[in-house]
Amino acid sequence: MTSTTGTTGASPSGGLAPEIAARLKRSADGLLPAIAQQYDTGEVLMLGWMDDEALHRTLTTGRCTYWSRSRREYWVKGDTSGHVQWVKSVALDCDADTVLVKVNQVGAACHTGDRTCFDADVLLPAGGDGADSGPPASDQ
């Protein structure tokens, strides 16, 4: 289920409902960041990119479809790896420039074989003592 149409010249909204397409704030190349999150644990799994057609396919098939910026084609998560993302819900952020897709992840989400794309290079561990370790001070 790959195609090289989409951000390379198809109509901006593809098969996406016009009322959804009208709300989206896309990058210059017609893409939105799409964050995949495990629906029941809240674990952030990965970030991919969607154009209108990829979002349409995600909404209508129940499987996450992304736009590969390097290969310039659509890819359905799990078609080659077996590590499927079954869509549970899709939401836009407050600015309508990012999509949050809550999924049931089967297997690894990361192309490296890790469960998430965010567990191999932790810069500050949870509970770490970063520079701002509490709520901001009052401005009084």
Side-chain angles (χ1 to χ4, degrees):
M1 183 190 264
T2 59
S3 167
T4 56
T5 60
T7 60
T8 59
S11 69
S13 62
L16 194 60
E19 62 274 11
I20 296 172
R23 295 175 57 199
L24 301 178
K25 294 179 185 163
R26 302 162 195 82
S27 67
D29 53 2
L31 299 174
L32 293 167
I35 301 166
Q37 179 182 40
Q38 179 63 34
Y39 83 99
D40 54 353
T41 65
E43 179 180 33
V44 177
L45 301 168
M46 60 172 279
L47 177 119
W49 296 92
M50 292 184 180
D51 66 0
D52 288 25
E53 180 61 23
L55 180 56
H56 169 70
R57 292 180 189 189
T58 297
L59 293 170
T60 58
T61 66
R63 302 248 328 261
C64 282
T65 300
Y66 299 99
W67 175 256
S68 171
R69 296 177 299 165
S70 60
R71 294 188 315 264
R72 308 216 33 91
E73 66 183 14
Y74 295 105
W75 57 279
V76 179
K77 183 69 174 169
D79 270 2
T80 56
S81 67
H83 300 161
V84 177
Q85 291 177 341
W86 296 106
V87 176
K88 296 293 188 173
S89 69
V90 180
L92 284 174
D93 76 336
C94 59
D95 296 321
D97 64 359
T98 303
V99 179
L100 175 64
V101 186
K102 292 190 179 183
V103 301
N104 187 17
Q105 176 71 48
V106 176
C110 187
H111 71 281
T112 65
D114 287 338
R115 170 73 181 161
T116 85
C117 293
F118 299 100
D119 60 1
D121 196 8
V122 177
L123 302 178
L124 180 66
D129 59 355
D132 185 7
S133 61
S138 163
D139 287 331
Q140 296 179 357

